[in-house]
Amino acid sequence: MTNIDSNSNRLEVDIAGIKFKNPVIGASGTFGFGREYSNYIDLNKLGGISVKGLTIKPRKGNKPPRIAETPAGILNSIGLQNPGVEVFIKEELPFLKKFNTVIIANIAGNVIEEYCELAEILSDTDIDAFELNVSCPNVKEGCVAFGNTVEGISEITKQVRKYCKKPLIVKLTPSVMDIKEIALAAEANGADAVSLINTILGMVIDIHKKRPVLANNFGGLSGPAVKPIAVRMTYEVSQTVKIPVIGMGGISSGDDAVEFMLAGAHAVMVGTWNFVNPNACIEVIEGIEKYLERYNYCSIYDIIGKLELNG
Amino acid sequence: MSLMLQEEIVCNRELVTGIYQLTFRSAYVSQNAKPGQFVNIKCCEGFNAILRRPVSICSVDRENKNVTIVFQKRGTGTSYLAKKRAGDVLDLIGPLGSHFDLSENYKNIAVVGGGIGIFPLLFLLEQKQCVHKTAYIGFRSKNYVVLEEAFKHNSHELIISTDDGSLGQKGFITDLLEKRILEEGIKGEKYDIIYTCGPGPMMKKVVELASKAGIKCQVSLEQRMGCGIGACLACACKIKLRDDWQYKRVCKDGPIFWGEEVDFDD
């Protein structure tokens, strides 16, 4: 057990030099700009918020229907609808900065130059870190195209690193043969942390209309259905890289979060379950705390990566 | 402002095949809800049909703190909701969304509803005090006609149509509206505003008719929702701008929009 002063916050975790008061972050694409949840929960209680994916110019997003339900999950094809980085800086960031929580800017683009420009613009603001979105499956150009090859992820991480003056988290797609080598490529080219997993490309068909439910035909699968895949990948990646791993995929309780942390995650992001329960992040924080209490751990570090494999 | 609430169900009964009327007691929603708004209900436990279901508010009894919704049993989530009984707890967020413009300037109003789109219009009729209220409601056939008495009670004039003519006048409700506002000119008097809710093609026609007659018109839109509180951007609807368009959120920017803003062809 780690020897920690009893007055210290046992949920506190350090990722790339940033202190998170607890390891629970609202996942990008599910938490808006925080504002939408501020009616229901105290944002000060969150470890962090990763904002809706930002692009240089406003994006309209994909045609509706954009969401479909699946067993233990959902499929979405929002298509990175967002008001653009300038509106974010002017109208959303000042609101977010009223709260004592880490602000992560999730950035996306069609070409590498757009990612670099976003990194340059946002480096001069009050955001705390970047999350490089190279894994959104719902846009035709960019994004996942960079994220699913070693060459792609190496090049974009290397280029963005030059413009990025804050910690850089690279968000990984699960839609690859070997996520370990993608994570290694991100690390080798300057990532301070990796987050995983983004959604998995899927399809739902309306058998009566004989058409896909989503206007975009395919969408990203998320929710409890993807959790075992996400936990396995979190384990594999955390065994492979030296930088911290942020795990996500189907977390709906403190126990789920603990699974990810035992598998090696330093922090977790809560996504789809925010839609079901706006209080989800708070309940996950409380659940982790209860687990630490139950086993009398003084620090979150007492559980990170403490998984013992069966022989 | 909306709240996350756990409220007690007072009653839940099937009105006609597959259409349920559920009343729950809620001090907060009953005092704060406005016509056009909805509640977002968690229908299932566990990981089955995980998303909440948005349901329009149909009627509010402020004195007894009761709120009534009417929904159609369509899939897994609403099937669970149909099974709930008096005394069960309803997990909901509400009241949510924008509301109909009930300005005092509107003295002579019409509501036009089709199928399960009629329910928020009943709440509007209940709340709106004005000189003359006309309700146009259309159904597929007499077997689907619900809440006829409530509409009669809350309007000065009730016009019903069914597609097959088994009750009221035969045809689409928009045909009757067209006849009244374009051909008869409603006896020289014009509606100050028309409110509509129902299938997209019906609302599109109502907006066209209102526009031709120079009458204001508000529509209540529907779209598949994720969160219901404006965060996920799933429930997009196409809204016209001067030289462009944008997707707005049905749950947060709507569900009520001005008719001329909406691009029904998306």
Side-chain angles (χ1 to χ4, degrees):
Chain A
M1 236 179 287
T2 312
N3 187 15
I4 283 190
D5 185 307
S6 59
N7 291 325
S8 68
N9 171 11
R10 61 181 167 179
L11 288 180
E12 189 176 283
V13 67
D14 185 302
I15 294 174
I18 303 172
K19 281 197 178 1
F20 290 73
K21 69 177 75 160
N22 64 63
V24 179
I25 301 161
S28 177
T30 66
F31 217 74
F33 294 115
R35 191 188 290 276
E36 296 81 358
Y37 286 89
S38 61
N39 272 346
Y40 307 100
I41 61 170
D42 180 1
L43 299 182
N44 291 303
K45 289 184 177 172
L46 300 181
I49 296 171
S50 182
V51 303
K52 173 76 188 151
L54 296 166
T55 50
I56 295 281
K57 293 200 169 127
R59 277 185 80 120
K60 287 176 169 162
N62 294 334
K63 203 174 163 173
R66 294 174 169 186
I67 195 163
E69 223 166 31
T70 65
I74 57 168
L75 212 61
N76 89 80
S77 67
I78 309 301
L80 283 176
Q81 181 181 337
N82 80 97
V85 70
E86 294 303 334
V87 171
F88 169 73
I89 293 168
K90 207 171 148 197
E91 293 173 19
E92 302 295 345
L93 190 54
F95 173 81
L96 275 171
K97 289 310 290 182
K98 289 184 202 163
F99 300 95
N100 176 23
T101 187
V102 173
I103 307 303
I104 301 168
N106 180 291
I107 57 170
N110 291 339
V111 291
I112 290 180
E113 289 71 23
E114 286 176 7
Y115 285 87
C116 293
E117 196 180 339
L118 281 161
E120 191 169 28
I121 293 167
L122 284 160
S123 283
D124 294 328
T125 71
D126 281 340
I127 65 143
D128 299 299
F130 286 95
E131 184 174 47
L132 199 58
N133 187 347
V134 286
S135 47
C136 174
N138 292 321
V139 288
K140 288 191 173 66
E141 296 171 84
C143 268
V144 78
F146 298 113
N148 62 11
T149 64
V150 166
E151 296 73 27
I153 206 120
S154 299
E155 184 61 17
I156 197 163
T157 309
K158 188 162 66 180
Q159 294 301 328
V160 172
R161 182 76 269 176
K162 291 182 196 162
Y163 297 89
C164 173
K165 297 178 201 152
K166 310 217 173 183
L168 179 62
I169 304 161
V170 178
K171 187 169 182 176
L172 308 180
T173 174
S175 304
V176 290
M177 282 298 287
D178 185 356
I179 197 165
K180 300 190 292 298
E181 61 179 22
I182 302 286
L184 277 171
E187 180 181 44
N189 287 281
D192 297 299
V194 286
S195 58
L196 60 134
I197 59 173
N198 206 322
T199 55
I200 305 171
L201 199 60
M203 187 181 204
V204 174
I205 295 170
D206 181 330
I207 60 165
H208 305 292
K209 293 180 184 164
K210 300 183 179 69
R211 299 175 80 95
V213 171
L214 298 177
N216 206 38
N217 298 322
F218 304 140
L221 176 66
S222 62
V226 310
K227 200 188 81 180
I229 300 168
V231 171
R232 185 262 295 174
M233 288 187 164
T234 297
Y235 173 75
E236 285 184 333
V237 170
S238 65
Q239 290 293 308
T240 306
V241 296
K242 293 184 184 67
I243 52 177
V245 174
I246 301 170
M248 79 190 99
I251 294 174
S252 69
S253 67
D255 288 358
D256 289 343
V258 169
E259 268 195 69
F260 278 86
M261 302 195 82
L262 290 170
H266 277 62
V268 293
M269 288 179 171
V270 177
T272 300
W273 214 252
N274 293 306
F275 301 160
V276 183
N277 174 15
N279 199 39
C281 285
I282 306 295
E283 288 179 13
V284 171
I285 295 165
E286 290 167 355
I288 297 170
E289 179 97 61
K290 267 188 196 153
Y291 182 85
L292 296 183
E293 261 169 35
R294 180 176 174 181
Y295 292 100
N296 207 23
Y297 290 131
C298 303
S299 160
I300 196 76
Y301 288 95
D302 290 330
I303 65 169
I304 295 171
K306 293 300 190 301
L307 176 73
E308 291 175 33
L309 289 188
N310 298 321
Chain B
M1 193 173 111
S2 57
L3 297 179
M4 288 188 279
L5 298 162
Q6 303 277 323
E7 308 291 30
E8 189 187 339
I9 294 173
V10 177
C11 69
N12 188 18
R13 66 188 181 108
E14 194 171 19
L15 292 175
V16 297
T17 307
I19 306 282
Y20 290 75
Q21 183 183 49
L22 186 153
T23 299
F24 60 93
R25 187 157 292 130
S26 174
Y28 187 77
V29 178
S30 65
Q31 303 310 307
N32 291 285
K34 292 180 177 157
Q37 291 190 299
F38 65 96
V39 290
N40 210 13
I41 301 170
K42 188 163 184 285
C43 296
C44 309
E45 297 296 322
F47 294 155
N48 199 11
I50 60 176
L51 293 176
R52 288 170 180 269
R53 267 46 177 178
V55 188
S56 299
I57 296 168
C58 176
S59 177
V60 160
D61 176 351
R62 297 202 202 278
E63 202 179 314
N64 293 306
K65 302 182 173 57
N66 284 340
V67 180
T68 297
I69 56 172
V70 181
F71 63 93
Q72 185 175 28
K73 189 165 88 171
R74 277 201 287 212
T76 317
T78 45
S79 293
Y80 273 91
L81 196 55
K83 285 181 195 144
K84 299 219 184 254
R85 294 285 167 261
D88 289 352
V89 170
L90 202 60
D91 180 329
L92 64 95
I93 304 173
L96 289 164
S98 62
H99 55 85
F100 288 114
D101 178 3
L102 301 181
S103 158
E104 286 177 9
N105 297 330
Y106 307 138
K107 310 280 188 207
N108 184 11
I109 68 159
V111 302
V112 185
I116 58 166
I118 66 169
F119 306 123
L121 301 174
L122 181 61
F123 185 21
L124 187 157
L125 291 171
E126 271 183 5
Q127 298 291 310
K128 173 75 180 158
Q129 302 299 317
C130 60
V131 176
H132 197 267
K133 297 186 264 195
T134 309
Y136 296 82
I137 51 176
F139 303 93
R140 277 158 65 190
S141 78
K142 70 174 182 185
N143 298 332
Y144 294 92
V145 176
V146 285
L147 302 178
E148 187 183 352
E149 281 307 309
F151 271 89
K152 196 181 276 179
H153 182 71
N154 285 287
S155 60
H156 299 99
E157 191 181 359
L158 174 63
I159 296 163
I160 296 183
S161 75
T162 49
D163 298 354
D164 61 4
S166 53
L167 189 93
Q169 302 193 47
K170 186 177 178 183
F172 293 142
I173 198 68
T174 45
D175 297 338
L176 303 180
L177 178 73
E178 182 167 22
K179 203 169 161 208
R180 289 292 294 277
I181 65 173
L182 294 184
E183 293 171 20
E184 294 178 11
I186 43 172
K187 294 175 187 153
E189 288 179 27
K190 204 159 100 173
Y191 297 129
D192 297 314
I193 189 166
I194 299 173
Y195 307 96
T196 183
C197 182
M202 185 207 82
M203 290 198 289
K204 183 183 175 190
K205 180 78 180 169
V206 173
V207 170
E208 282 169 8
L209 291 171
S211 171
K212 247 189 236 175
I215 302 169
K216 288 186 175 187
C217 182
Q218 283 199 313
V219 301
S220 173
L221 298 185
E222 194 184 24
Q223 185 54 271
R224 285 170 185 268
M225 284 186 193
C227 65
I229 61 171
C232 73
L233 309 183
C235 59
C237 59
K238 199 170 185 179
I239 297 297
K240 296 176 200 162
L241 300 174
R242 185 172 291 178
D243 304 312
D244 199 5
W245 60 271
Q246 67 178 130
Y247 280 127
K248 286 202 168 186
R249 303 164 295 185
V250 170
C251 72
K252 187 84 177 176
D253 304 311
I256 310 303
F257 292 92
W258 289 101
E260 70 264 24
E261 291 182 290
V262 179
D263 183 343
F264 286 98
D265 296 325
D266 189 33

